[in-house]
Amino acid sequence: MIAFRGFPPLLTAVVCLLIAAAAVPPVNSANAQDRDQDRYPTRPITFVVPFAAGGPTDILARLIGQSIGPMLGQQVVVEDVTGAGGTIGATRVARAEPDGYTMVMGNLGTHAASLGIYQNLAYDPRTDFEPVILVASTPMVLVTRKTLAVHSLDETVAYAKANKGKTTMGSAGIGSISHLTLLLFNHLTGADVVHVPYRGLSEATNDLLGGQIDLLFDQVVTATPHILNSSENPIVVTIPQRAPSIPDVPSANEAGLPKLQTVAWTALFVPKRTPAAIMAKVNGAVAKAMQDPVIAKRLAEIGADVPPPEQRSPQALRQLVNAEVDKWVPLIKAAGIVGQ
């Protein structure tokens, strides 16, 4: 031990310990970060669903979360954060720590249409998130309340035109996929139905089942059970061919409105600057879940299409987001839609 003249022995010992501690080289922060990534995840992961519980995004998030949790060795918690067409939940994730523990199940509304609707959007879906993987896609289906006496697209359009200003159509909120499909429907048909926004498709569905609204563009994922138990009247699906889960419902091509094309997609995003190694681990777990026959069967049952392997990379998802922004933002601005 070094001797310090005039210092009491105890104080000398303390000073020596401090000097020794200062001489120890600092831990390499980059190496520590690498070790953290290697151990990831060490605590539960949160999937933020920016829509109401029970809706299509919520159903997919829970299905995927339950599947990948055991693979990653941690629980995946689904948290529904509603409001403003899904942008409140998306904003929360954009501002979260980029550590892989907070992710958002985004879609066409939150990660494309929002740019055209909200003038002061708190995030840019193209730059404030890292795309992880496309989870599923599903067409929309036009359904009516059970007591509405229409059974075809022509009859529905004729009814709406005969009852202009009175025919109501719900949506999951301004800028949601259901709202965008409504805009396209009005543009193509001149039906001019009245928009009734909700905080999620599940709320809109409840009012349709209760007869408070007339029409709804629902996702096939959530509409299929109601169609199969005859509590809703299905009119048309928004793709060129019929949906396997509801094979009796005509396609847009068959119904005579081939331009009525909307595919709802759900994808996983994390905050920008999330380490690539973490993203790769999550991407791999979700991709593996898609190969599980049980998961694939469940997705097929609810009308969700599993993306082919070439569409499961972060790069492919980034391209999809950019393409959807280019497609929908001009239409939204031309319609003068402004979010609150």
Side-chain angles (χ1 to χ4, degrees), residues 47 57 72 148 236 262 316 320 338:
F47 278 3
T57 308
L72 297 174
L148 192 65
V236 63
T262 307
L320 174 63
V338 178

Side-chain angles (χ1 to χ4, degrees), residues 13-309:
V14 171
V15 172
C16 288
L17 286 173
L18 292 174
I19 293 174
V24 175
V27 175
N28 188 304
S29 60
N31 289 341
Q33 187 179 45
D34 288 343
R35 287 197 297 272
D36 288 342
Q37 293 175 28
D38 290 340
R39 292 194 297 264
Y40 172 88
T42 58
R43 54 189 170 88
I45 298 167
T46 297
F47 278 3
V48 171
V49 171
F51 301 102
T57 308
D58 180 74
I59 291 172
L60 289 170
R62 293 180 190 280
L63 186 62
I64 295 300
Q66 290 168 6
S67 179
I68 71 171
M71 298 182 202
L72 297 174
Q74 289 291 335
Q75 181 184 11
V76 176
V77 178
V78 175
E79 184 175 350
D80 300 296
V81 181
T82 65
T87 61
I88 291 177
T91 298
R92 173 177 164 179
V93 176
R95 294 174 175 172
E97 287 295 321
D99 54 12
Y101 290 99
T102 307
M103 311 180 190
V104 63
M105 278 286 186
N107 62 16
L108 169 59
T110 60
H111 280 71
S114 56
L115 274 178
I117 293 173
Y118 298 96
Q119 296 180 352
N120 298 308
L121 189 64
Y123 62 87
D124 187 324
R126 299 165 296 185
T127 58
D128 289 332
F129 297 89
E130 301 291 349
V132 179
I133 189 169
L134 178 64
V135 173
S137 62
T138 179
M140 307 297 285
V141 55
L142 177 59
V143 291
T144 80
R145 56 180 169 83
K146 188 64 179 175
T147 54
L148 192 65
V150 297
H151 300 90
S152 70
L153 183 59
D154 287 342
E155 289 180 1
T156 304
V157 173
Y159 177 89
K161 288 183 175 180
N163 295 273
K164 270 196 174 181
K166 299 178 181 178
T167 306
T168 54
M169 183 181 291
S171 81
I174 293 175
S176 63
I177 300 167
S178 47
H179 180 212
L180 296 180
T181 311
L182 180 158
L183 289 179
L184 185 59
F185 175 79
N186 277 343
H187 173 73
L188 294 173
T189 65
D192 197 24
V193 298
V194 178
H195 179 216
V196 182
Y198 290 83
R199 293 177 70 89
L201 271 175
S202 58
E203 293 184 9
T205 298
N206 287 339
D207 271 9
L208 185 78
L209 295 172
Q212 280 76 47
I213 56 174
D214 300 313
L215 309 169
L216 176 66
F217 274 108
D218 198 354
Q219 292 188 31
V220 169
V221 170
T222 41
T224 293
H226 301 297
I227 292 171
L228 295 180
N229 69 20
S230 300
S231 56
E232 296 175 349
N233 293 328
I235 302 299
V236 63
V237 292
T238 61
I239 48 175
Q241 67 283 340
R242 298 191 178 203
S245 64
I246 44 174
D248 294 333
V249 183
S251 68
N253 283 10
E254 292 173 305
L257 200 62
K259 291 185 178 180
L260 186 63
Q261 304 285 332
T262 307
V263 175
W265 49 264
T266 300
L268 201 56
F269 298 86
V270 291
K272 65 180 178 181
R273 292 192 294 274
T274 298
I278 289 176
M279 292 169 53
K281 188 171 289 189
V282 176
N283 177 288
V286 176
K288 186 175 180 181
M290 292 176 180
Q291 297 171 358
D292 184 338
V294 175
I295 297 297
K297 182 175 182 292
R298 178 60 182 140
L299 289 172
E301 287 172 351
I302 62 177
D305 299 320
V306 176

Side-chain angles (χ1 to χ4, degrees), residues 312-335:
R312 300 177 192 171
S313 69
Q315 295 77 16
L317 179 52
R318 189 180 298 280
Q319 291 173 0
L320 174 63
V321 168
N322 290 335
E324 292 287 62
V325 167
D326 293 342
K327 174 182 176 180
W328 289 102
V329 169
L331 177 63
I332 292 165
K333 290 187 174 180

